[in-house]
Amino acid sequence: VNAQIGQKVRFTMAQDNMIKIAFMIFMVPLLSIFAGLYIGSVSASYFDINGTAASFIGVLVFLSAAIFTVYSYDRKFRFNKKNYPRIMK
């Protein structure tokens, strides 16, 4: 396409991964927070330690893992050329 600056163009983008991306960005960290709270409270009662501290540590561990997972997925998605927008006309 021989488009110049200021001209209007039409482009298309792959839509098949949008729900997966939205789930990864919003739901994985949220679910990891709840999982960390649950695992922390269960481990607090099992090891007989402070429940608030154990829940906080559980959230930190699970949220860190979720952020790493989302970051890794983002890097894989970003370097895939088929996910870039393409100019149609």
Side-chain angles (χ1 to χ4, degrees):
V1 172
N2 293 326
Q4 302 297 323
I5 296 176
Q7 285 183 325
K8 293 182 180 180
V9 295
R10 287 189 179 207
F11 65 94
T12 183
M13 212 171 149
Q15 296 292 324
D16 55 343
N17 290 329
M18 291 301 159
I19 292 177
K20 190 175 183 181
I21 293 168
F23 184 81
M24 288 292 291
I25 291 173
F26 296 111
M27 294 305 293
V28 168
L30 184 65
L31 292 175
S32 72
I33 289 172
F34 289 132
L37 283 171
Y38 177 73
I39 296 297
S41 66
V42 168
S43 65
S45 64
Y46 181 74
F47 292 115
D48 196 30
I49 56 175
N50 186 357
T52 305
S55 295
F56 180 73
I57 291 170
V59 167
L60 282 179
V61 169
F62 276 75
L63 189 58
S64 298
I67 290 171
F68 177 75
T69 303
V70 170
Y71 178 75
S72 300
Y73 183 77
D74 176 59
R75 286 184 53 96
K76 184 178 89 172
F77 183 81
R78 187 180 346 155
F79 293 128
N80 190 350
K81 297 291 184 189
K82 77 171 194 155
N83 297 323
Y84 287 178
R86 290 181 297 278
I87 296 175
M88 293 173 53
K89 67 177 191 176

